[in-house]
Amino acid sequence: MAAPPGNPADTQVHGRRAGRRDRAGSTRASTRASTRAALPVPLDRLLLASLVVLVVASTWRFLTRHTMADGGLLVLALAAALLLTQAAALRVPAGSGRRTALVLVSTLACVVLVLLAPSFAWCAVPVAFAVLGTLPAWPATGITIGLGVLVSVAWARVTGALDLTLVAGPTVMALVTVAAARALQAQAEQQRRLVTELVDAQAELAEEQRRSGALDERNRLARDLHDSVGQTLTSVGLVLSAAERDLDRDPTRARARITTAAEATRTALAEVRTVVADLSQGAGTSGERLVVALRGLVAELPPGTVGSLAVHGDAGDLPAPVADALLLSARGALANVREHSGASRVAVTLTALDDEVRLDVRDDGRGFATAPGRAPGSRGRVDRRGHGIAGIRSRTEALGGTTAVESAPGEGTSLSIALPTQRGDQS
């Protein structure tokens, strides 16, 4: 039996969580590998240099006390093998099996070399660090302790007597080295994990911001279409309804209304093309175009409604987002006047200041009552269109501006919009 479909939102949430778990799992695996992969490159080279110095010193000591007949050729061959395998390990990528094999071979060479020639005992120290930086925790710990015991035994052979300090010293040093290395690796792993979690959180935040931005853009587009094309098509519907009533009794008037509706339809088509062009090219409305468009909106008011436009200040260099918002808000406000107010006079005023621009739309229509305790424009006839005053207010607040609506039954309505332009800081 198939499982019932789940909530799409829950599916997306679980999908994102599963993705984060997968990333976290792979990150932990890579962190474990990198923790034991290798010591930092400068430390690797420092250990190799110290090994070279110790091998040279130990070789000099051995040759001054022994002859080639005492196995000198084998000792020199093992010393050369120790150096070559350690140097070759540095040239192999960290965490690879080949590097691990080279470190094990060099460790074996070191053990045999120290057993044959105790003069090379201290060469085990850099070898132990190489083991700690390459092998997993428990094998590396065992080998390091074994190398410490080997150093103790070798120096006991050099001195000819068992000295507890020579036994305890290298052994304790090996234990301290293991503990310090494990602590450093644990700290490095924790830091890598924190960095990975931070990167994942930043990626998730960027994705959330992208989705939020897309949602805001859809809402903005819905408001813009409502205040432009939606209002125009509403007017077309009203005009065609009036033309239908006049078709039998006054055909001439009906034809005139149909012509008006056709012109409005062409205007709506032009507005759709403008919206599409804005989306594809990011084109904005300049201050000059805003004034021309406002004059056109005022001229399109229905017969019986006298409209006026007053422009104060220089609106020519308004930022494109501000000009766009003012034009769409004016279109929505005048559509509300045309459809709901029954006003005989409408006054539109555009005032451009140094750092602010204001748009005021006042009518002498029937007005409406706002509910107590609510912001103006949150209830009443003007907002029954869905995106009317609410859309204007949202658009204005998105640009850091304010919207004020004053109205009362029988006293008309006044809409005032103020948007910052920051032009004063540019001079």
Side-chain angles (χ1 to χ4, degrees):
M1 180 179 295
N7 189 328
D10 293 339
T11 303
Q12 294 176 356
V13 170
H14 293 318
R16 290 196 296 270
R17 290 176 178 172
R20 289 197 296 271
R21 286 195 298 269
D22 292 341
R23 290 195 301 271
S26 62
T27 300
R28 285 193 293 270
S30 62
T31 299
R32 287 192 295 268
S34 60
T35 299
R36 65 171 184 269
L39 296 169
V41 173
L43 183 56
D44 268 346
R45 293 174 179 173
L46 178 62
L47 290 177
L48 180 60
S50 64
L51 180 61
V52 170
V53 172
L54 289 173
V55 168
V56 170
S58 301
T59 301
W60 177 83
R61 186 180 189 279
F62 176 81
L63 293 178
T64 57
R65 288 168 173 77
H66 302 83
T67 64
M68 290 297 177
D70 297 332
L73 288 178
L74 179 59
V75 169
L76 294 179
L78 288 172
L82 174 60
L83 289 177
L84 290 176
T85 51
Q86 282 290 330
L90 290 180
R91 304 179 65 87
V92 178
S96 65
R98 186 181 174 189
R99 181 162 187 162
T100 301
L102 287 171
V103 171
L104 289 175
V105 170
S106 68
T107 304
L108 179 60
C110 179
V111 171
V112 176
L113 179 61
V114 173
L115 291 176
L116 291 177
S119 298
F120 290 86
W122 292 107
C123 294
V125 175
V127 173
F129 275 99
V131 169
L132 289 172
T134 304
L135 300 182
W138 289 113
T141 301
I143 292 175
T144 302
I145 295 175
L147 290 174
V149 173
L150 178 65
V151 171
S152 301
V153 173
W155 274 105
R157 292 175 55 192
V158 169
T159 58
L162 182 62
D163 188 341
L164 292 180
T165 60
L166 291 178
V167 174
T171 304
V172 171
M173 185 175 63
L175 293 174
V176 171
T177 301
V178 169
R182 294 279 82 84
L184 290 175
Q185 290 174 345
Q187 184 178 7
E189 182 176 358
Q190 182 181 12
Q191 290 177 347
R192 291 189 187 98
R193 184 168 57 251
L194 292 176
V195 170
T196 301
E197 292 175 355
L198 177 60
V199 170
D200 288 344
Q202 290 175 338
E204 184 178 355
L205 177 60
E207 179 65 18
E208 292 293 340
Q209 290 175 339
R210 187 192 65 80
R211 285 194 293 266
S212 177
L215 179 60
D216 291 342
E217 183 65 16
R218 286 197 295 268
N219 291 335
R220 184 193 67 81
L221 182 58
R223 293 194 303 267
D224 293 351
L225 289 175
H226 171 271
D227 291 342
S228 57
V229 180
Q231 301 290 5
T232 302
L233 293 180
T234 299
S235 300
V236 169
L238 295 175
V239 172
L240 290 178
S241 297
E244 184 180 11
R245 291 194 299 269
D246 293 338
L247 192 59
D248 294 330
R249 59 186 180 187
D250 192 348
T252 301
R253 187 175 182 182
R255 283 193 295 271
R257 292 184 184 276
I258 292 174
T259 300
T260 301
E263 293 176 352
T265 302
R266 286 191 289 271
T267 300
L269 179 60
E271 290 170 345
V272 169
R273 289 172 177 167
T274 299
V275 172
V276 172
D278 289 348
L279 290 175
S280 60
Q281 302 175 7
T285 302
S286 66
E288 291 84 355
R289 288 177 55 195
L290 171 63
V291 175
V292 173
L294 290 177
R295 289 198 181 100
L297 291 176
V298 172
E300 291 173 1
L301 289 171
T305 302
V306 178
S308 63
L309 172 66
V311 179
H312 304 291
D314 181 12
D317 59 344
L318 288 178
V322 173
D324 286 336
L326 292 176
L327 175 59
L328 293 171
S329 299
R331 182 180 286 125
L334 292 176
N336 285 328
V337 171
R338 184 169 53 249
E339 297 172 22
H340 304 295
S341 71
S344 60
R345 300 186 65 85
V346 179
V348 180
T349 304
L350 180 67
T351 305
L353 304 175
D354 289 338
D355 57 355
E356 182 183 73
V357 61
R358 301 184 65 90
L359 176 70
D360 298 287
V361 180
R362 296 181 177 85
D363 68 72
D364 61 353
R366 62 176 62 95
F368 61 92
T370 57
R374 291 182 178 267
S378 60
R379 292 180 62 90
R381 272 190 292 272
V382 178
D383 245 358
R384 292 177 184 173
R385 307 296 299 179
H387 282 289
I389 296 298
I392 294 173
R393 189 184 303 279
S394 177
R395 186 184 301 111
T396 302
E397 291 177 351
L399 294 176
T402 59
T403 303
V405 180
E406 298 178 0
S407 185
E411 297 183 6
T413 301
S414 175
L415 170 68
S416 180
I417 298 171
L419 291 174
T421 61
Q422 289 82 37
R423 293 186 300 176
D425 297 336
Q426 299 173 359
S427 57

